[in-house]
Amino acid sequence: MAASVTQCPLSVQAALPCCPRSSDKMGVKLEVFRMMLYLSFPVTMFWISNQAEYFEEYVVKRKREIYPPERNDNRKQLEAFQEQMRRKREEKLMRQLEKEQ
């Protein structure tokens, strides 16, 4: 009984890649599934990470923790200090000019 091309013995099947096997179709489907999974996972993660509404609440909350909203009294104190330092600097320059003359 001679072996037909579709019914190759196992030793010949390993040597001849052109012999059709019943598991080849399943292997191709598995490889296509794996490729789709490998490609879709990073694309999905990229898409999710670029959706602003998912992270907006967290970002706003964190920003307010790091940079709290300014209060008017702090602003006034800062401006008063800047004005005081400007006056001191001007007085120092005026004294230096008077000494040179």
Side-chain angles (χ1 to χ4, degrees), residues 3 8 10-11 15 20 25 29 39-42 45 56 92 98:
C8 295
L10 288 178
S11 61
K25 290 182 182 180
K29 289 179 184 178
L39 293 176
S40 64
F41 180 75
M45 290 290 102
E56 186 174 9
K92 184 179 176 182
E98 288 174 359

Side-chain angles (χ1 to χ4, degrees), residues 1 4 8 15 24 27 33 41 44 48 67 70 77 84 92:
M1 193 183 209
S4 68
C8 295
D24 279 348
F33 173 75
F41 180 75
T44 305
I48 289 172
Y67 304 107
E70 289 186 13
Q77 287 176 352
Q84 180 186 2
K92 184 179 176 182

Side-chain angles (χ1 to χ4, degrees), residues 4 6 14 17 28 33-34 38 45 53 57 73 96 99:
S4 68
T6 57
V28 170
F33 173 75
R34 287 174 58 194
Y38 291 158
M45 290 290 102
E53 59 268 5
E57 182 181 335
D73 58 338
Q96 286 178 353
K99 286 181 184 179

Side-chain angles (χ1 to χ4, degrees), residues 13-78:
Q13 265 188 349
L16 297 173
C18 63
C19 284
R21 291 185 225 162
S22 62
S23 64
D24 279 348
K25 290 182 182 180
M26 187 61 185
V28 170
K29 289 179 184 178
L30 180 64
E31 288 300 316
V32 169
F33 173 75
R34 287 174 58 194
M35 184 182 74
M36 297 271 295
L37 183 67
Y38 291 158
L39 293 176
S40 64
F41 180 75
V43 170
T44 305
M45 290 290 102
F46 182 77
W47 181 80
I48 289 172
S49 66
N50 284 314
Q51 298 301 308
E53 59 268 5
Y54 293 139
F55 303 103
E56 186 174 9
E57 182 181 335
Y58 169 76
V59 170
V60 169
K61 180 181 163 190
R62 186 71 176 150
K63 182 180 176 186
R64 288 191 178 150
E65 287 176 6
I66 295 172
Y67 304 107
E70 289 186 13
R71 296 189 314 231
N72 285 338
D73 58 338
N74 286 349
R75 184 77 173 165
K76 289 177 183 177
Q77 287 176 352
L78 180 61

